[in-house]
Amino acid sequence: MRKAAAKNRTNQTFKNGDRVTWNSEAGWVTGVIQKKITAPTVFKGYTRHASKDEPQYFIKSEKTDHVAVHKGSALRKLPGKPARRKSKA
């Protein structure tokens, strides 16, 4: 059953501003889609092999502001709007 659920997520597309979560080495992370990538792109020294058929996404962590790139199949959409961060003023 898990394989079927994972297969369904591969076709899921996201848009800028969508809240998503993904599993990282440090545990589950929540972030916001910043940009959809549909062509090969170099990010942090690695080529991300994105295409129109298999897009990848720039995602900004809500907690750390760290930016990552992931395939849509690694992401799960969350309901609601991104949390607002307090300014450091």
Side-chain angles (χ1 to χ4, degrees):
M1 186 179 243
R2 285 182 166 235
K3 283 185 180 181
K7 243 184 189 179
N8 290 338
R9 273 190 285 166
T10 58
N11 295 335
Q12 189 172 8
T13 59
F14 303 94
K15 61 182 186 286
N16 292 356
D18 282 350
R19 277 185 86 218
V20 294
T21 187
W22 68 96
N23 194 4
S24 75
E25 300 87 20
W28 287 94
V29 180
T30 301
V32 179
I33 300 289
Q34 301 294 304
K35 183 178 179 182
K36 181 177 180 179
I37 307 166
T38 57
T41 303
V42 176
F43 180 71
K44 295 188 177 181
Y46 295 94
T47 301
R48 304 307 307 232
H49 299 284
S51 67
K52 287 184 180 183
D53 292 333
E54 292 186 29
Q56 296 191 25
Y57 300 89
F58 279 107
I59 312 153
K60 188 175 187 178
S61 167
E62 288 182 347
K63 186 175 180 182
T64 65
D65 287 338
H66 173 81
V67 176
V69 176
H70 289 292
K71 294 179 179 181
S73 60
L75 304 173
R76 295 180 185 172
K77 190 171 181 179
L78 294 174
K81 295 183 179 183
R84 288 193 173 187
R85 295 192 59 164
K86 293 181 181 178
S87 62
K88 297 180 182 180

